[in-house]
Every structure is written in structure tokens, then in C-alpha cells.
Amino acid sequence: MESLVGGGGLEMGTGLSRVMAYLQASPSPYHVVATLASALESAGFTELLEADPWELHPGGRHFVIRGQGSLIAFRLPAVRGTPPSLRLVGAHTDSPGLLVKPRPLVVRNGHLVWDVEVYGSPILATWFDRELSLAGLVSCRGSGGEIGELRVDWRLPLAILPNAAIHLNREVNEGHRYQRHEELQPVCRVLSPGEKVEEPTVLFRRWLGERIGVEAPAWAGAEPLGWELSFYEARPACRVGLEGEWLVGGRLDNQLSCFIGLQSLLEVAGRGKGEGEIGLEGRGGEGEGETALPMLACFHHEEVGSLSLQGAAGQFAESVIRRILPRGGEAMARTMARSALLSVDNAHALHPNYGRKHDEGHRPLLNGGIVVKSNANQRYTTDASSGGRLKGLCRRLGVPWQEFAMRADLPCGSTIGPHLAARLGLPGVDIGVPTWAMHSIRETAGLADLESLGKLLKGFFVHGLPPAEGGNRF
Ligand code: ZN
């Protein structure tokens, strides 16, 4: 049983422990962005503020944050003046779950409970009987009247959403429909008989103020004004399987894509990589790699449709790309015609107990390779051309891939790919690592697939998608 606790011989090694540390440090989209930003800064990337003029130089490494929950990082081409070849990897920072309301505490049956809204589409049953902690973003007013935006994370389990005992709900195993307004409120405290509790919102603001003082001592005593705080399972991710071949943890959809994207970008374009000469390849001849523009874009709000100030259906990516392109009316169109998008989001792996839920011909296996997602109704952006070019790259890199299409009688999910491709006007492919239990509080992915994803994203940043040549187009 040694392999259960050992390295298991996986090449990923330190890469995997880093991903697990990132997951642990990232209980909310705002923490994902902070984790990405701090790793990027350590690798020589500097932040650009949207409100400032940007002074850009060839080969410069930068990142831009919008709304604290979305981030775009890139390395500029080594030469300026020619429309670059953008190699865009997109992912999302948010995960479905339970968010506290603006008035987050209520008294119910002599208990203080957390009042929540459901964010996106979690598997609700998985939130019961878990050690829950709370994290997110708080806007507050400092002693001098200044407004601050701070991340907070209680880290410790501070609430639980207990199931009703089987004796009180005998039919629970026959299929239970959760009443979202009544049954999803995690318990905060049992009140003593006759206990007079402070007005709950006042009480919460006091707790939040104290937490701000712990996490950001410079803001101790600040008055909380607004918050987006979500519950998360406090238990860290771990390896599971006879050979430790699976990773099990919260928010694997889609933080795995964010963090493997980050590691791939840093390996290709971080400090010390290709200084002076970028070391990336172009579409054709010698030197064209100097126009390569590797970019990682991670967006909030995918789980609720992406249409927001910082979502992938908004103009954040377009705004950043326009600002870094050479001036001129044609620049955007010429750039997009030379560019490609990999939209990376987890995919459904075949579940042995639910074989009938999968299309017989399109059943990706855990640890079977990267999943290429297609949908005739454009819920994914993959098409014959972009899918073929991606598989050409996989062949070149020796990366295994698997096909996914939904059963014809089940509706297909979607992700950021179609939004970005449509908004920016560039060809793209929807891909991802196969996963079990997507949108559960704890999901499962295969370690070999993470390795394949890293190899593919790195290869994409370096080579781009191979160009489609000729055919019978003319
Ligand atoms: Zn996702």
C-alpha cells in the first residue's frame, strides 16, 4: 500500500503539490485571483490598472484584474508593430455553492442560522453534514472614510448543514426535493432558552469586522458595507485510489484549469524564460514566434451565465486585447485571424454506475486524456476546423485526447468558449479534464489528465494551433 502515501511515480510531483496548495488557498473566486496574482508577481509579471495609461514594451509580462474576481495575464510579443498571434487559454474562477445574503443571519426555532442563496447549480445533497467555512470579498469603510475591498477567509469550520435524521425523513432515499428557502440554511449557533440575541445583522457585521482586523490589521475597526461570501468545505483536497491516481477536492471545476493554465504560462513565459528572445514558435517561418502573445484569462460568473462586468461574455478580454495591440483599425481583425482560443473547463467522465447517462460513443474515462467537447448547437465552440487543428497539436505533443458529446435526449451544458469566441471573433476549442461528480462539494479528477493538460497548454502557448492549409476552399 506504499503507493497510496508515496509520490506514485507521477511526473507531476511538485506540480501536483503546488496545485493542491493553490486549491487550499483559494476558497472563493477572489482568492483564486489573489493566488494567481501572487504567483505571477513572483515570476516577474507586473499588474496593470485599467484606470491608468499603460506603458508597454516588447516582451513585457503583465496582468490585469477586474472586479477582483477575474484576471488576464499575458506576455507581450518580442516585436511590436505586427499583429500578434494570440494564444488564449480561458478558464473560470467561480464554482457553484451557497452564498450568504445581505442580511446573513436569522433566528429560527431558537437557533441562529445562516441565510443563503444558491449560486449556480450545485448538487445540493452534497452540502449536508460537511464542515463548512466562509470566505469571499468584503467592501468596508475605514476610519478615515476610505473604502477598502478585502478578501476574508475564516479557514476554520464554523457551520454545518445537518441532514434530518432518517427517522424524521423516512423517504429521503426515495428521492428528496430540497426546499431551497427552508432546508439549506447552515446552523450557526444553538441559543439558550430565553437568550436575547443581538440583532442578527448587527451581530454579523461585528464578527466580520473582527475577522477583517485579523486578516488585514491595517483595516482593524473598519465598518463592513457589503460582501460576497460563500461557504466552502474546510477539508483539503487529497489523493484517492489504490495508487493514489485521483485527486478529490472542492472546486476542481474550474480551479484545476486556472492553476494548470497558470503553471503552463509561467513555464513558457515566466522570468528567465526566453529573455530577449521569446522562444515561442510562430505559424510559419523563422522569427514569427516573436509575434506570439500567450495569454491566460480566468473569469468570474461562468456558473451563472458569464454575462457580467467581469464575466467572459462582457468586454473585459476585448478591452485588454485592444489596448495591447498596435494602433490601427485593422489590428484587432488581423490579430484574431492569426489567433486561437482553448476554453478549458472540466468535462464529464464516464461514471460506472450511470453508464446510461452517457452517449455510448462518447464516454471519456478518468485518466484517459484531455476531453474535446463538441455540440451541434454551439454550446461548445469546437468546430471541424478548430477541433482538427487541436488534435494535430495533440499528435505533435503526444497528448492523448477523448471525444465528448452529450446524449441526444439530454440538454448539453456550456462554458465560456462560445462567449469568448463570439465576442472576440477567433476560432476556439472547448476542452477539459474528465471529472466525476461535477458541481458536487467534492469532485474527482485524474492525475494523469492534469499532466496531459499541462503538456497541452504549454505546447499551445509555444506553438499555437497548427494552421489549416489549402484544401478545396478555392
Ligand atoms: Zn466549469
Side-chain angles (χ1 to χ4, degrees), residues 43 45 61 75 264-271 273 278 280 294:
F45 286 70
R61 303 180 188 86
R75 169 143 183 188
S264 307
L265 181 68
L266 296 187
E267 276 190 50
V268 167
R271 192 179 354 238
K273 307 286 176 186
I278 218 159
L280 302 171

Side-chain angles (χ1 to χ4, degrees), residues 13-324:
T14 54
L16 174 63
S17 23
R18 213 175 302 138
V19 167
M20 287 169 86
Y22 286 153
L23 288 167
Q24 187 63 9
S26 309
S28 80
Y30 306 103
H31 291 82
V32 175
V33 164
T35 302
L36 292 167
S38 130
L40 287 161
E41 272 179 350
S42 310
F45 286 70
T46 54
E47 183 175 1
L48 298 171
L49 300 178
E50 288 199 275
D52 288 351
W54 291 358
E55 203 178 304
L56 302 172
H57 300 288
R61 303 180 188 86
H62 303 286
F63 64 91
V64 189
I65 291 173
R66 181 179 282 191
Q68 311 261 21
S70 295
L71 176 147
I72 296 179
F74 53 88
R75 169 143 183 188
L76 291 168
V79 292
R80 234 188 155 201
T82 318
S85 144
L86 172 68
R87 291 152 193 188
L88 176 59
V89 168
H92 66 88
T93 59
D94 59 325
S95 303
L98 304 177
L99 258 65
V100 300
K101 287 184 178 169
R103 297 172 66 82
L105 290 171
V106 289
V107 176
R108 178 185 288 172
N109 293 317
H111 295 65
L112 205 52
V113 300
W114 294 95
D115 202 3
V116 295
E117 281 185 287
V118 179
Y119 178 79
S121 50
I123 303 178
L124 295 173
T126 64
W127 284 76
F128 285 78
D129 305 325
R130 307 287 178 144
E131 304 90 335
L132 300 177
S133 190
L134 194 57
L137 189 73
V138 179
S139 145
C140 58
R141 183 174 180 275
S143 47
E146 68 281 21
I147 303 292
E149 287 175 5
L150 307 169
R151 285 177 307 280
V152 294
D153 177 7
W154 266 267
R155 292 191 177 89
L156 297 171
L158 48 77
I160 192 153
L161 178 55
N163 257 297
I166 189 84
H167 317 82
L168 307 178
N169 188 8
R170 293 275 182 196
E171 289 78 40
V172 67
N173 293 328
E174 312 312 315
H176 182 76
R177 187 183 177 87
Y178 289 98
Q179 302 301 316
R180 293 173 173 229
H181 197 61
E182 280 85 31
E183 292 183 63
L184 299 179
Q185 287 65 32
V187 181
C188 176
R189 262 184 62 198
V190 185
L191 301 176
S192 314
E195 181 181 341
K196 282 267 174 287
V197 71
E198 203 174 335
E199 201 284 315
T201 305
V202 174
L203 177 64
F204 172 74
R205 286 156 65 103
R206 186 157 58 75
W207 288 348
L208 186 53
E210 285 165 11
R211 190 67 214 170
I212 289 170
V214 172
E215 301 228 356
W219 287 84
E223 177 198 3
L225 298 173
W227 44 82
E228 182 189 307
L229 297 169
S230 46
F231 282 106
Y232 69 94
E233 191 192 27
R235 197 176 289 248
C238 65
R239 289 175 65 172
V240 175
L242 281 172
E243 293 174 14
E245 67 270 40
W246 305 318
L247 176 67
V248 176
R251 310 174 307 284
L252 300 191
D253 169 18
N254 187 234
Q255 292 189 15
L256 287 182
S257 306
C258 294
F259 296 138
I260 302 287
L262 170 76
Q263 288 192 1
S264 307
L265 181 68
L266 296 187
E267 276 190 50
V268 167
R271 192 179 354 238
K273 307 286 176 186
E275 293 289 358
E277 189 270 310
I278 218 159
L280 302 171
E281 290 181 15
R283 290 167 66 94
E286 222 31 39
E288 277 207 39
E290 293 177 347
T291 66
L293 172 52
M295 178 180 280
L296 172 69
C298 299
F299 300 94
H300 196 353
H301 294 145
E302 187 274 344
E303 297 293 355
V304 291
S306 292
L307 188 60
S308 72
L309 176 64
Q310 49 185 309
Q315 53 75 271
F316 181 35
E318 184 181 341
S319 163
V320 169
I321 292 166
R322 283 195 187 279
R323 289 180 75 167
I324 61 182

